[in-house]
Amino acid sequence: MIKGSLKGWWAFLVVAMLVLAACAPAPAAAPAAAEPAGDASQGDAPAATSERCGDSSQLSDSISFYNWGDYIDPDVLTMFEEECGVKVIYDTFSSNEDLLAKLQGGATGYDLIVPSDYMVAIMIQLGLLKELDHANIPNLANINEQFRDAPYDPGNKYSVPFMWGTAGIGYDADKVTTPPTSLAALFDPAQAKEYAGKISLLNDARETIGAALKYLGYSVNSTDPAQLEEAKQVLLAVKPYILTFDSDTYSDLVVSGETVMGHGWNGGFAVAIDENPDRNLGFVIPQEGLTIFVDTLAIPASAPNPYTAEVLINFLHEPEIAAMNTTAVLYPTPNDAALEFVDEAIKNNPAIFPSLDDLGNTEYIHDLGEVTQLYERIWTEIKAQ
Ligand code: N2P
Protein backbone atom coordinates (compact mmCIF):
# COMPACT_ATOMS: atom_id res chain seq x y z
CA MET A 1 0.00 0.00 0.00
CA ILE A 2 1.17 3.50 -0.67
CA LYS A 3 -0.06 6.79 0.52
CA GLY A 4 0.51 10.00 -1.29
CA SER A 5 2.16 13.08 -0.02
CA LEU A 6 2.92 14.90 -3.25
CA LYS A 7 1.42 18.27 -3.75
CA GLY A 8 1.26 20.18 -6.97
CA TRP A 9 -0.39 22.90 -8.91
CA TRP A 10 -1.02 20.47 -11.70
CA ALA A 11 -3.67 18.75 -9.62
CA PHE A 12 -6.01 21.54 -10.57
CA LEU A 13 -5.32 20.97 -14.25
CA VAL A 14 -6.01 17.28 -13.96
CA VAL A 15 -9.33 17.98 -12.27
CA ALA A 16 -10.13 20.54 -14.93
CA MET A 17 -9.40 17.93 -17.58
CA LEU A 18 -11.72 15.48 -15.85
CA VAL A 19 -14.50 18.01 -15.75
CA LEU A 20 -13.98 18.90 -19.38
CA ALA A 21 -13.87 15.25 -20.36
CA ALA A 22 -17.07 14.59 -18.46
CA CYS A 23 -18.87 17.50 -20.09
CA ALA A 24 -17.66 16.92 -23.61
CA PRO A 25 -20.26 15.31 -25.85
CA ALA A 26 -19.19 11.99 -27.31
CA PRO A 27 -17.97 12.73 -30.80
CA ALA A 28 -20.12 11.09 -33.43
CA ALA A 29 -17.25 10.83 -35.83
CA ALA A 30 -13.60 11.60 -36.09
CA PRO A 31 -12.83 15.25 -36.31
CA ALA A 32 -12.66 16.53 -39.79
CA ALA A 33 -9.31 16.25 -41.41
CA ALA A 34 -7.22 19.34 -41.03
CA GLU A 35 -7.36 21.69 -43.98
CA PRO A 36 -5.71 21.31 -46.31
CA ALA A 37 -5.86 17.53 -46.45
CA GLY A 38 -2.17 17.28 -47.31
CA ASP A 39 0.47 17.35 -44.63
CA ALA A 40 2.18 20.51 -45.64
CA SER A 41 0.50 23.83 -45.46
CA GLN A 42 3.36 26.00 -46.53
CA GLY A 43 2.92 29.64 -46.05
CA ASP A 44 0.60 29.36 -43.08
CA ALA A 45 3.16 28.01 -40.66
CA PRO A 46 4.57 30.71 -38.42
CA ALA A 47 7.94 31.99 -39.51
CA ALA A 48 9.70 31.14 -36.28
CA THR A 49 9.15 27.80 -34.65
CA SER A 50 11.51 26.23 -32.18
CA GLU A 51 13.96 23.53 -33.15
CA ARG A 52 11.66 21.09 -31.36
CA CYS A 53 9.15 21.52 -34.19
CA GLY A 54 11.00 19.83 -37.02
CA ASP A 55 10.77 21.40 -40.48
CA SER A 56 8.17 24.11 -40.09
CA SER A 57 7.51 24.20 -43.82
CA GLN A 58 6.15 20.67 -43.57
CA LEU A 59 3.93 21.22 -40.53
CA SER A 60 0.16 21.18 -40.92
CA ASP A 61 -2.02 23.88 -39.35
CA SER A 62 -3.66 21.40 -37.01
CA ILE A 63 -3.30 17.88 -35.77
CA SER A 64 -5.86 15.49 -34.36
CA PHE A 65 -4.68 13.61 -31.27
CA TYR A 66 -6.83 10.78 -29.91
CA ASN A 67 -5.66 9.70 -26.46
CA TRP A 68 -6.84 7.96 -23.29
CA GLY A 69 -8.55 10.24 -20.76
CA ASP A 70 -6.34 11.98 -18.18
CA TYR A 71 -3.22 11.03 -20.02
CA ILE A 72 -1.61 14.34 -20.92
CA ASP A 73 -0.59 17.54 -19.20
CA PRO A 74 -2.79 20.12 -20.96
CA ASP A 75 0.12 22.59 -20.70
CA VAL A 76 2.14 20.34 -22.98
CA LEU A 77 -0.45 20.65 -25.71
CA THR A 78 -0.54 24.41 -25.28
CA MET A 79 3.25 24.53 -25.49
CA PHE A 80 3.21 22.53 -28.70
CA GLU A 81 0.52 24.79 -30.16
CA GLU A 82 2.42 27.95 -29.26
CA GLU A 83 5.89 26.73 -30.05
CA CYS A 84 5.10 25.00 -33.32
CA GLY A 85 2.05 26.92 -34.50
CA VAL A 86 -0.03 23.76 -34.84
CA LYS A 87 -3.50 23.61 -33.33
CA VAL A 88 -4.12 20.37 -31.46
CA ILE A 89 -7.60 18.90 -31.82
CA TYR A 90 -7.76 16.65 -28.81
CA ASP A 91 -10.22 13.89 -28.00
CA THR A 92 -10.23 10.86 -25.70
CA PHE A 93 -11.25 7.19 -25.67
CA SER A 94 -11.65 4.66 -22.86
CA SER A 95 -10.41 1.34 -24.19
CA ASN A 96 -8.27 -0.17 -26.91
CA GLU A 97 -11.33 -1.85 -28.32
CA ASP A 98 -13.16 1.49 -28.61
CA LEU A 99 -10.14 2.94 -30.39
CA LEU A 100 -10.02 -0.01 -32.80
CA ALA A 101 -13.75 0.22 -33.46
CA LYS A 102 -13.35 3.90 -34.25
CA LEU A 103 -10.65 3.24 -36.83
CA GLN A 104 -12.41 0.23 -38.29
CA GLY A 105 -15.59 2.27 -38.46
CA GLY A 106 -13.83 4.42 -41.03
CA ALA A 107 -12.68 7.37 -38.92
CA THR A 108 -9.98 8.96 -41.00
CA GLY A 109 -9.26 12.25 -39.29
CA TYR A 110 -6.90 11.07 -36.55
CA ASP A 111 -3.18 11.83 -36.84
CA LEU A 112 -1.93 10.44 -33.55
CA ILE A 113 -3.39 7.63 -31.45
CA VAL A 114 -2.33 5.78 -28.29
CA PRO A 115 -2.91 2.03 -28.62
CA SER A 116 -1.51 -0.32 -25.97
CA ASP A 117 1.04 -3.02 -26.77
CA TYR A 118 -1.33 -5.84 -27.84
CA MET A 119 -3.51 -3.43 -29.80
CA VAL A 120 -0.47 -2.24 -31.74
CA ALA A 121 0.05 -5.84 -32.86
CA ILE A 122 -3.60 -6.10 -33.91
CA MET A 123 -3.53 -2.80 -35.77
CA ILE A 124 -0.30 -3.67 -37.59
CA GLN A 125 -1.88 -6.90 -38.81
CA LEU A 126 -4.96 -5.05 -39.97
CA GLY A 127 -2.87 -2.51 -41.85
CA LEU A 128 -4.23 0.32 -39.72
CA LEU A 129 -0.89 1.90 -38.80
CA LYS A 130 1.62 3.88 -40.78
CA GLU A 131 5.30 3.01 -40.66
CA LEU A 132 7.22 5.66 -38.76
CA ASP A 133 10.12 7.60 -40.20
CA HIS A 134 12.60 7.34 -37.34
CA ALA A 135 14.63 10.19 -38.82
CA ASN A 136 11.85 12.48 -37.59
CA ILE A 137 11.80 10.92 -34.12
CA PRO A 138 15.38 11.11 -32.81
CA ASN A 139 14.04 11.13 -29.23
CA LEU A 140 13.26 7.45 -29.66
CA ALA A 141 16.81 7.12 -28.34
CA ASN A 142 15.54 8.42 -24.97
CA ILE A 143 13.31 5.37 -24.47
CA ASN A 144 14.57 2.79 -22.00
CA GLU A 145 15.81 -0.28 -23.82
CA GLN A 146 13.47 -2.49 -21.87
CA PHE A 147 10.59 -0.80 -23.67
CA ARG A 148 12.09 -0.72 -27.16
CA ASP A 149 11.90 -3.38 -29.82
CA ALA A 150 9.11 -5.29 -28.06
CA PRO A 151 7.47 -8.38 -29.57
CA TYR A 152 4.26 -6.43 -30.33
CA ASP A 153 6.24 -4.15 -32.67
CA PRO A 154 9.77 -5.36 -33.45
CA GLY A 155 12.08 -2.45 -34.21
CA ASN A 156 9.40 0.08 -33.19
CA LYS A 157 8.45 0.30 -36.84
CA TYR A 158 4.96 1.55 -35.99
CA SER A 159 4.93 2.72 -32.40
CA VAL A 160 6.88 4.66 -29.79
CA PRO A 161 6.23 3.86 -26.10
CA PHE A 162 4.40 6.74 -24.39
CA MET A 163 3.69 5.63 -20.82
CA TRP A 164 3.53 2.36 -19.01
CA GLY A 165 1.80 1.14 -15.89
CA THR A 166 -0.12 -1.59 -14.17
CA ALA A 167 -3.66 -2.39 -13.14
CA GLY A 168 -4.46 -2.80 -9.47
CA ILE A 169 -6.96 -2.04 -6.76
CA GLY A 170 -7.42 1.44 -5.35
CA TYR A 171 -9.28 1.83 -2.08
CA ASP A 172 -10.21 4.01 0.85
CA ALA A 173 -8.51 2.41 3.85
CA ASP A 174 -10.93 4.17 6.21
CA LYS A 175 -13.89 2.46 4.60
CA VAL A 176 -12.70 -1.12 4.23
CA THR A 177 -12.21 -3.52 7.13
CA THR A 178 -8.80 -4.50 5.83
CA PRO A 179 -6.93 -2.97 2.89
CA PRO A 180 -7.19 -5.37 -0.06
CA THR A 181 -4.14 -7.42 -0.96
CA SER A 182 -5.80 -10.05 -3.12
CA LEU A 183 -8.20 -10.13 -6.04
CA ALA A 184 -10.51 -11.98 -3.68
CA ALA A 185 -11.53 -8.55 -2.41
CA LEU A 186 -13.20 -8.00 -5.80
CA PHE A 187 -14.10 -11.51 -6.88
CA ASP A 188 -14.87 -13.64 -3.82
CA PRO A 189 -18.64 -13.09 -3.51
CA ALA A 190 -18.48 -13.34 0.28
CA GLN A 191 -15.95 -10.50 0.42
CA ALA A 192 -17.43 -8.37 -2.37
CA LYS A 193 -20.86 -8.61 -0.74
CA GLU A 194 -19.53 -6.70 2.25
CA TYR A 195 -19.14 -3.68 -0.06
CA ALA A 196 -22.17 -4.31 -2.22
CA GLY A 197 -22.74 -1.43 -4.63
CA LYS A 198 -19.45 0.18 -3.64
CA ILE A 199 -17.03 -1.52 -6.01
CA SER A 200 -16.17 -0.63 -9.61
CA LEU A 201 -14.43 -2.71 -12.26
CA LEU A 202 -12.72 -1.53 -15.45
CA ASN A 203 -14.99 -1.25 -18.46
CA ASP A 204 -12.58 -3.32 -20.48
CA ALA A 205 -13.08 -6.85 -21.78
CA ARG A 206 -9.46 -7.94 -21.66
CA GLU A 207 -8.58 -6.22 -18.36
CA THR A 208 -11.62 -7.36 -16.43
CA ILE A 209 -11.98 -10.91 -17.76
CA GLY A 210 -8.18 -11.03 -17.37
CA ALA A 211 -8.49 -10.01 -13.70
CA ALA A 212 -11.04 -12.78 -13.08
CA LEU A 213 -8.72 -15.27 -14.81
CA LYS A 214 -5.87 -14.11 -12.60
CA TYR A 215 -8.06 -14.53 -9.49
CA LEU A 216 -8.60 -18.14 -10.58
CA GLY A 217 -4.85 -18.67 -10.96
CA TYR A 218 -4.92 -18.60 -14.79
CA SER A 219 -3.18 -16.36 -17.29
CA VAL A 220 -4.76 -13.11 -18.46
CA ASN A 221 -4.08 -14.55 -21.91
CA SER A 222 -5.89 -17.83 -21.41
CA THR A 223 -7.34 -19.31 -24.57
CA ASP A 224 -8.95 -22.25 -22.79
CA PRO A 225 -12.74 -22.02 -23.17
CA ALA A 226 -13.29 -23.84 -19.85
CA GLN A 227 -11.13 -21.31 -17.99
CA LEU A 228 -12.89 -18.46 -19.72
CA GLU A 229 -16.26 -19.89 -18.74
CA GLU A 230 -15.06 -20.05 -15.13
CA ALA A 231 -13.96 -16.43 -15.32
CA LYS A 232 -17.35 -15.48 -16.69
CA GLN A 233 -19.06 -17.23 -13.78
CA VAL A 234 -16.81 -15.36 -11.32
CA LEU A 235 -17.82 -12.04 -12.87
CA LEU A 236 -21.51 -12.94 -12.99
CA ALA A 237 -21.44 -13.99 -9.34
CA VAL A 238 -20.12 -10.62 -8.16
CA LYS A 239 -21.92 -8.46 -10.69
CA PRO A 240 -24.78 -7.71 -8.27
CA TYR A 241 -22.21 -6.00 -6.00
CA ILE A 242 -20.59 -3.92 -8.75
CA LEU A 243 -21.70 -0.30 -8.94
CA THR A 244 -20.33 0.25 -12.43
CA PHE A 245 -17.85 -0.86 -15.07
CA ASP A 246 -15.80 2.27 -15.63
CA SER A 247 -12.35 3.10 -16.98
CA ASP A 248 -12.39 6.88 -16.68
CA THR A 249 -13.69 7.81 -13.23
CA TYR A 250 -12.78 4.80 -11.05
CA SER A 251 -10.60 6.91 -8.78
CA ASP A 252 -13.09 9.80 -8.58
CA LEU A 253 -15.67 7.28 -7.37
CA VAL A 254 -13.42 6.29 -4.47
CA VAL A 255 -12.75 9.95 -3.67
CA SER A 256 -16.45 10.86 -3.71
CA GLY A 257 -17.28 7.85 -1.56
CA GLU A 258 -19.53 6.27 -4.16
CA THR A 259 -17.19 3.29 -4.05
CA VAL A 260 -14.78 2.06 -1.41
CA MET A 261 -12.57 0.20 -3.85
CA GLY A 262 -12.08 -0.05 -7.57
CA HIS A 263 -10.17 -1.95 -10.21
CA GLY A 264 -8.16 0.57 -12.21
CA TRP A 265 -4.79 1.71 -13.48
CA ASN A 266 -2.05 2.98 -11.21
CA GLY A 267 -1.78 6.59 -12.42
CA GLY A 268 -5.49 7.24 -11.99
CA PHE A 269 -5.30 6.23 -8.36
CA ALA A 270 -1.94 7.92 -7.82
CA VAL A 271 -3.49 11.25 -8.84
CA ALA A 272 -6.42 10.70 -6.46
CA ILE A 273 -4.05 9.81 -3.63
CA ASP A 274 -1.90 12.84 -4.33
CA GLU A 275 -4.82 15.22 -4.51
CA ASN A 276 -6.30 13.99 -1.23
CA PRO A 277 -3.42 13.88 1.25
CA ASP A 278 -5.88 14.11 4.13
CA ARG A 279 -7.56 10.89 3.07
CA ASN A 280 -6.42 7.36 3.69
CA LEU A 281 -6.42 6.25 0.05
CA GLY A 282 -4.24 3.45 -1.22
CA PHE A 283 -3.37 1.41 -4.28
CA VAL A 284 -2.13 -2.16 -4.43
CA ILE A 285 -1.10 -4.60 -7.12
CA PRO A 286 -2.83 -7.72 -5.82
CA GLN A 287 -0.69 -10.65 -4.79
CA GLU A 288 -1.98 -12.76 -7.68
CA GLY A 289 -0.57 -10.13 -10.05
CA LEU A 290 -2.55 -8.35 -12.73
CA THR A 291 -1.72 -6.60 -16.00
CA ILE A 292 1.19 -4.41 -17.02
CA PHE A 293 0.92 -2.29 -20.14
CA VAL A 294 2.87 -0.03 -22.45
CA ASP A 295 0.74 2.55 -24.21
CA THR A 296 2.27 3.81 -27.41
CA LEU A 297 2.18 6.74 -29.81
CA ALA A 298 1.22 5.58 -33.28
CA ILE A 299 -0.01 7.09 -36.52
CA PRO A 300 -3.04 5.69 -38.32
CA ALA A 301 -2.43 4.65 -41.92
CA SER A 302 -5.17 7.13 -42.83
CA ALA A 303 -3.65 10.08 -40.94
CA PRO A 304 -3.93 13.32 -42.92
CA ASN A 305 -0.84 14.83 -41.25
CA PRO A 306 1.72 12.11 -40.57
CA TYR A 307 4.76 14.39 -40.60
CA THR A 308 3.27 16.68 -37.98
CA ALA A 309 2.33 13.60 -35.94
CA GLU A 310 5.95 12.45 -35.98
CA VAL A 311 7.03 15.90 -34.85
CA LEU A 312 4.53 15.73 -31.98
CA ILE A 313 5.74 12.24 -31.01
CA ASN A 314 9.26 13.60 -30.88
CA PHE A 315 8.12 16.69 -28.94
CA LEU A 316 6.38 14.48 -26.36
CA HIS A 317 9.69 12.71 -25.84
CA GLU A 318 11.76 15.81 -25.23
CA PRO A 319 13.11 15.04 -21.73
CA GLU A 320 11.48 18.04 -20.01
CA ILE A 321 8.18 17.49 -21.79
CA ALA A 322 8.01 13.78 -20.96
CA ALA A 323 8.81 14.72 -17.36
CA MET A 324 5.96 17.27 -17.31
CA ASN A 325 3.56 14.62 -18.54
CA THR A 326 4.61 11.99 -16.05
CA THR A 327 4.39 14.56 -13.26
CA ALA A 328 0.87 15.51 -14.29
CA VAL A 329 -0.69 12.11 -14.95
CA LEU A 330 1.48 10.09 -12.54
CA TYR A 331 2.06 7.22 -14.92
CA PRO A 332 5.70 6.23 -15.34
CA THR A 333 7.45 7.47 -18.44
CA PRO A 334 9.64 5.03 -20.36
CA ASN A 335 11.83 8.04 -21.28
CA ASP A 336 15.10 7.66 -19.37
CA ALA A 337 16.32 11.14 -20.26
CA ALA A 338 13.21 12.59 -18.61
CA LEU A 339 13.91 11.08 -15.22
CA GLU A 340 16.31 13.78 -14.08
CA PHE A 341 13.42 16.25 -14.41
CA VAL A 342 10.99 14.16 -12.33
CA ASP A 343 10.70 14.70 -8.57
CA GLU A 344 12.34 12.08 -6.38
CA ALA A 345 9.05 11.69 -4.50
CA ILE A 346 7.37 10.59 -7.72
CA LYS A 347 10.21 8.39 -8.93
CA ASN A 348 10.48 6.66 -5.57
CA ASN A 349 6.77 6.06 -5.18
CA PRO A 350 6.26 2.40 -6.11
CA ALA A 351 2.62 2.94 -7.04
CA ILE A 352 3.71 5.43 -9.70
CA PHE A 353 7.00 3.88 -10.77
CA PRO A 354 6.61 0.20 -9.90
CA SER A 355 9.92 -1.59 -9.74
CA LEU A 356 10.25 -3.54 -12.95
CA ASP A 357 11.99 -6.29 -11.00
CA ASP A 358 9.05 -6.64 -8.73
CA LEU A 359 6.32 -7.42 -11.21
CA GLY A 360 6.77 -11.16 -11.44
CA ASN A 361 3.07 -12.02 -11.41
CA THR A 362 1.98 -9.29 -13.77
CA GLU A 363 1.39 -10.09 -17.41
CA TYR A 364 1.14 -8.13 -20.62
CA ILE A 365 -2.11 -8.66 -22.49
CA HIS A 366 -1.40 -10.37 -25.80
CA ASP A 367 -3.26 -10.44 -29.06
CA LEU A 368 -5.10 -13.76 -28.95
CA GLY A 369 -6.21 -13.82 -32.56
CA GLU A 370 -9.61 -15.41 -33.04
CA VAL A 371 -10.03 -16.16 -29.34
CA THR A 372 -10.55 -12.42 -28.89
CA GLN A 373 -14.08 -13.00 -30.16
CA LEU A 374 -14.75 -15.37 -27.26
CA TYR A 375 -13.64 -12.64 -24.83
CA GLU A 376 -15.92 -10.17 -26.58
CA ARG A 377 -18.85 -12.59 -26.42
CA ILE A 378 -18.34 -13.26 -22.72
CA TRP A 379 -17.99 -9.55 -22.08
CA THR A 380 -21.24 -8.77 -23.88
CA GLU A 381 -22.99 -11.45 -21.83
CA ILE A 382 -21.63 -10.10 -18.56
CA LYS A 383 -22.62 -6.55 -19.38
CA ALA A 384 -26.09 -7.63 -20.54
CA GLN A 385 -26.98 -9.63 -17.43
C1 N2P B 1 -5.12 6.70 -18.51
C2 N2P B 1 -5.42 5.32 -18.96
C3 N2P B 1 -4.28 4.40 -18.88
C4 N2P B 1 -4.31 3.50 -20.02
N1 N2P B 1 -6.26 7.28 -17.91
C5 N2P B 1 -4.24 2.07 -19.70
N2 N2P B 1 -3.77 1.37 -20.80
Side-chain angles (χ1 to χ4, degrees):
M1 151 174 173
I2 59 100
K3 288 184 54 198
S5 58
L6 313 169
K7 288 204 171 80
W9 55 267
W10 48 263
F12 166 76
L13 292 169
V14 174
V15 171
M17 284 279 289
L18 275 175
V19 171
L20 284 175
C23 298
E35 285 297 326
D39 203 6
S41 55
Q42 291 96 328
D44 288 348
T49 61
S50 95
E51 60 189 17
R52 305 199 291 197
C53 304
D55 173 3
S56 64
S57 73
Q58 290 189 59
L59 290 176
S60 51
D61 291 338
S62 68
I63 183 169
S64 167
F65 185 6
Y66 197 34
N67 192 3
W68 297 81
D70 303 319
Y71 222 26
I72 197 93
D73 181 342
D75 278 1
V76 163
L77 298 182
T78 307
M79 279 170 73
F80 182 73
E81 290 189 323
E82 287 174 357
E83 215 171 295
C84 301
V86 176
K87 178 161 178 46
V88 180
I89 301 161
Y90 189 75
D91 197 5
T92 61
F93 58 85
S94 305
S95 73
N96 281 296
E97 288 66 28
D98 286 355
L99 169 61
L100 177 63
K102 226 12 180 305
L103 291 188
Q104 287 189 307
T108 53
Y110 298 119
D111 294 305
L112 185 57
I113 56 174
V114 188
S116 306
D117 36 56
Y118 74 100
M119 188 51 68
V120 172
I122 292 174
M123 288 181 168
I124 292 172
Q125 266 181 46
L126 292 172
L128 290 171
L129 299 183
K130 184 190 168 295
E131 238 183 87
L132 301 174
D133 182 349
H134 285 188
N136 296 330
I137 314 173
N139 287 336
L140 183 56
N142 294 340
I143 305 295
N144 184 304
E145 246 173 74
Q146 209 160 343
F147 293 107
R148 268 192 269 160
D149 197 22
Y152 62 81
D153 179 18
N156 293 98
K157 268 173 80 174
Y158 297 90
S159 67
V160 174
F162 176 51
M163 299 275 185
W164 63 279
T166 72
I169 305 172
Y171 56 92
D172 184 338
D174 288 337
K175 297 197 182 138
V176 290
T177 327
T178 15
T181 55
S182 156
L183 285 167
L186 303 174
F187 297 131
D188 170 5
Q191 294 190 40
K193 189 173 184 180
E194 213 187 316
Y195 307 112
K198 297 207 162 255
I199 298 175
S200 76
L201 298 179
L202 282 172
N203 188 15
D204 190 299
R206 293 298 309 273
E207 286 281 4
T208 299
I209 296 171
L213 285 164
K214 234 24 196 169
Y215 167 63
L216 293 165
Y218 305 137
S219 163
V220 301
N221 294 304
S222 174
T223 55
D224 178 341
Q227 293 181 357
L228 282 159
E229 176 61 28
E230 266 185 81
K232 175 174 129 186
Q233 293 308 328
V234 163
L235 289 166
L236 287 177
V238 296
K239 192 174 172 203
Y241 311 131
I242 303 302
L243 175 69
T244 180
F245 293 94
D246 183 283
S247 302
D248 291 307
T249 61
Y250 51 82
S251 56
D252 304 328
L253 293 172
V254 177
V255 172
S256 70
E258 285 166 86
T259 59
V260 297
M261 72 175 94
H263 169 220
W265 294 297
N266 59 329
F269 285 119
V271 169
I273 291 167
D274 178 47
E275 286 176 356
N276 295 279
D278 52 324
R279 297 274 298 274
N280 210 359
L281 307 181
F283 172 80
V284 67
I285 299 175
Q287 67 202 25
E288 296 88 344
L290 214 46
T291 56
I292 177 170
F293 59 83
V294 178
D295 294 329
T296 75
L297 299 161
I299 302 179
S302 58
N305 304 297
Y307 175 76
T308 308
E310 286 170 344
V311 170
L312 180 51
I313 293 174
N314 200 56
F315 188 88
L316 291 171
H317 276 304
E318 289 292 335
E320 297 89 338
I321 304 279
M324 275 177 77
N325 258 340
T326 255
T327 303
V329 304
L330 297 184
Y331 282 91
T333 177
N335 184 321
D336 276 351
L339 294 179
E340 66 172 294
F341 302 103
V342 177
D343 271 9
E344 293 298 318
I346 292 177
K347 278 188 289 197
N348 297 331
N349 184 333
I352 302 173
F353 273 81
S355 159
L356 282 168
D357 303 327
D358 203 22
L359 293 169
N361 291 331
T362 62
E363 291 179 272
Y364 282 99
I365 293 173
H366 295 154
D367 169 24
L368 300 178
E370 286 181 3
V371 181
T372 304
Q373 285 162 27
L374 181 52
Y375 278 76
E376 293 297 341
R377 207 155 57 230
I378 288 174
W379 188 239
T380 308
E381 285 169 28
I382 291 162
K383 297 286 288 288
Q385 289 258 336

